[in-house]
Amino acid sequence: MAILTQDEAQTILKKVLSFSKADECQASLQGRVTGNIRYARNTVNTAGSTDNVSLAVESRFGKRSGVATCNQFDDATLRNCVQRAEEIARLAPEDPEYMPLLGPQQYLTPNSFSARTAAITPDFRAQVAQDSIALSSGKQLTAAGYLEDGSTFQALRNSKGLEAYQQGTNVDFSVTVRTPDGTGSGYAVADFTDASQFDARKLTQIAVDKAAGSRNAKALEPGKYTVILEPAALVSDEGLLNNLVYNFGAREADEGRSFLSKKGGGNRKGEKLFDSRISIYSDPLNAQAPGSVFDGEGLPVKRINWVEKGVVKNLYYSRYWAEKTGQQPTAFSGNFIMEGGTQSVQDLIKSTAKGILVTRLWYIRDVDPQTLLFTGLTRDGTFFIENGKIKFPIKNFRFNESPVIMLNNIEAIGRPQRLGGNLVPPLKIRDFTFTSLSDAV
């Protein structure tokens, strides 16, 4: 039952709204069917699947609101869920930033679903694990990896006439390969909407080569270096570029809490803050990294430029802050695309006289939100480059760096790759700051 068609989902939502006695009511359904396989020490240790649909009902009386959820859809359960949302709403305090529900909206036609991905079987996942493990064990290395694939849907309907629906699919794979003595480590990661683009062997080979080549790392003095940051070093759950894009909030800027705050008040929209080669935008219809065509409130997501040739072009406005400041609201985007060039990572290495190749950054933490200064560590393959070639592996560093400064120190931009649902190019950057050595591998 987990992936409901548009008609099936809207039939349930209409019934939910028919039970409502609130001033306003909005109901949303989310469903997912996922499968996964995990391996470590060259052995599969878990495999599983999930199958679930959940309903959330928000009821409103004036400026008071309450939310209740359930995952059964018989009439009695639906009616009870609506009643609980209304009981909570009557007890809740008024929301001083209340915004009325949206009326009917027009959405782009999504391209986020692949039938091939939706048809992935446990045998497919087992073959991926077998291929990855065989490559690693054949080199006397040890692999640990995780594959998760799935189909999802989201449907929304409210008492103002808004109606939305979208399906999506995703394949997400990562693998870490280590030497038996624990002194070398390599990593590769990728995600796709269409599983036909996924090649576990190719990704594992990257991790195998990095692990085998990173044994016996030498120590370099901390300092400022030219670095080549691979996409995995730029985007992760806490990545430097994710954090940059997520900090484009207009309210934080207007209230003086952001790197986009202007001294004396206001924000820095329209100012050139980055190298002229930097352009970043969101596009729910991007062919390689499609996103949602509506956000959680039902606001349409459309292409929007955040940075164009180094200039801040737009900020994110919530509906409340947009009304307060006389701006258009901005739907929260599910992806971002950073424009790049045509060079591969190998091309960037060939053009480097002296520098450091960074496979991945992790354990990234905020230092100063007003300058977007972050600290973190390199890991899983850090190498010294000399005269266009990788000369030797080096020990990991702690870094202190701001993506705002980093994107003003650009030397070259490579070909974008999909990562985390986004498109991100490898970057060659001068004067990247490493502050201390780390013995971690």
Side-chain angles (χ1 to χ4, degrees):
M1 177 179 182
I3 304 302
L4 302 179
T5 66
Q6 184 169 356
D7 287 343
E8 290 171 336
Q10 293 297 341
T11 296
I12 292 174
L13 296 178
K14 285 178 185 176
K15 184 178 290 186
V16 170
L17 295 180
S18 74
F19 295 147
S20 173
K21 298 176 181 176
D23 298 339
E24 294 181 318
C25 183
Q26 180 159 288
S28 62
L29 276 167
Q30 289 187 324
R32 56 192 287 118
V33 177
T34 68
N36 66 77
I37 191 165
R38 185 188 301 276
Y39 51 99
R41 296 181 180 273
N42 288 344
T43 303
V44 172
N45 48 24
T46 63
S49 63
T50 64
D51 183 332
N52 188 46
V53 179
S54 61
L55 170 73
V57 178
E58 180 184 3
S59 297
R60 297 179 173 193
F61 294 98
K63 295 183 178 181
R64 305 175 190 273
S65 68
V67 176
T69 63
C70 66
N71 60 358
Q72 295 184 54
F73 306 106
D74 57 273
D75 286 4
T77 302
L78 294 178
R79 193 186 300 276
N80 184 51
C81 188
V82 173
Q83 288 175 347
R84 281 190 288 118
E86 292 178 353
E87 290 168 1
I88 294 168
R90 289 190 176 95
L91 294 171
E94 289 192 345
D95 180 359
E97 298 184 2
Y98 161 83
M99 293 295 296
L101 293 178
L102 291 167
Q105 304 289 314
Q106 293 293 319
Y107 302 114
L108 299 170
T109 302
N111 59 348
S112 52
F113 180 82
S114 162
R116 186 182 181 93
T117 303
I120 286 177
T121 65
D123 287 345
F124 176 95
R125 298 179 200 115
Q127 188 65 53
V128 166
Q130 179 178 321
D131 292 345
S132 181
I133 290 169
L135 266 176
S136 303
S137 60
K139 298 287 186 180
Q140 285 73 56
L141 300 170
T142 303
Y146 183 69
L147 168 69
E148 181 170 305
D149 57 86
S151 304
T152 61
F153 84 92
Q154 183 173 7
L156 193 63
R157 193 176 190 92
N158 71 29
S159 55
K160 294 285 190 67
L162 183 145
E163 179 180 346
Y165 177 86
Q166 183 170 357
Q167 284 190 6
T169 53
N170 195 61
V171 180
D172 201 332
F173 175 73
S174 64
V175 58
T176 303
V177 177
R178 288 212 162 195
T179 57
D181 61 4
T183 63
S185 182
Y187 177 74
V189 61
D191 58 282
F192 308 92
T193 298
D194 183 350
S196 65
Q197 300 171 346
F198 171 44
D199 187 338
R201 289 173 183 269
K202 183 178 178 180
L203 290 164
T204 303
Q205 188 65 57
I206 293 170
V208 164
D209 291 343
K210 283 182 180 288
S214 62
R215 292 184 173 102
N216 304 316
K218 299 179 181 179
L220 287 187
E221 286 295 319
K224 290 185 179 293
Y225 287 89
T226 293
V227 296
I228 296 172
L229 300 177
E230 297 193 28
L234 292 163
V235 174
S236 66
D237 291 343
E238 307 154 340
L240 294 175
L241 289 186
N242 311 53
N243 272 299
L244 176 76
V245 175
Y246 296 159
N247 274 279
F248 269 61
R251 182 171 188 174
E252 292 83 353
D254 292 342
E255 293 181 342
R257 298 184 280 124
S258 158
F259 79 100
L260 291 167
S261 300
K262 181 181 286 186
K263 287 184 179 178
N267 61 61
R268 304 183 71 180
K269 180 180 174 183
E271 292 188 23
K272 187 173 184 299
L273 298 185
F274 308 101
D275 185 284
S276 297
R277 289 167 288 180
I278 301 301
S279 291
I280 302 172
Y281 62 94
S282 294
D283 182 4
L285 300 186
N286 182 276
Q288 283 182 267
S292 176
V293 297
F294 58 90
D295 69 6
E297 293 184 279
L299 201 61
V301 178
K302 299 176 182 176
R303 174 173 169 144
I304 183 168
N305 291 335
W306 302 109
V307 179
E308 186 175 330
K309 296 180 180 178
V311 177
V312 177
K313 301 298 288 187
N314 286 290
L315 301 180
Y316 166 73
Y317 283 86
S318 67
R319 293 180 59 221
Y320 169 75
W321 200 248
E323 184 176 84
K324 187 178 178 69
T325 57
Q327 302 288 328
Q328 289 295 314
T330 317
F332 187 77
S333 304
N335 66 0
F336 69 86
I337 294 100
M338 184 171 175
E339 292 184 350
T342 59
Q343 295 184 86
S344 66
V345 171
Q346 289 305 315
D347 294 332
L348 297 179
I349 293 171
K350 287 177 183 175
S351 66
T352 303
K354 282 189 178 181
I356 293 172
L357 175 66
V358 179
T359 298
R360 186 184 180 194
L361 301 177
W362 76 304
Y363 204 51
I364 299 170
R365 295 293 182 269
D366 300 33
V367 176
D368 179 7
Q370 291 188 316
T371 58
L372 274 192
L373 182 64
F374 294 95
T375 189
L377 296 161
T378 65
R379 72 177 299 185
D380 295 327
T382 309
F383 302 91
F384 185 70
I385 303 166
E386 191 172 42
N387 298 325
K389 294 181 179 178
I390 290 178
K391 285 296 183 178
F392 50 82
I394 58 175
K395 288 193 172 184
N396 286 305
F397 287 112
R398 172 168 290 281
F399 71 88
N400 274 9
E401 194 56 80
S402 164
V404 181
I405 295 172
M406 193 177 80
L407 296 183
N408 276 292
N409 289 339
I410 293 286
E411 290 204 349
I413 304 177
R415 184 167 52 243
Q417 303 170 27
R418 173 166 164 166
L419 203 58
N422 312 294
L423 285 183
V424 182
L427 300 177
K428 187 160 94 173
I429 296 162
R430 62 180 176 274
D431 294 335
F432 192 89
T433 307
F434 293 115
T435 54
S436 60
L437 284 172
S438 167
D439 289 327
V441 175

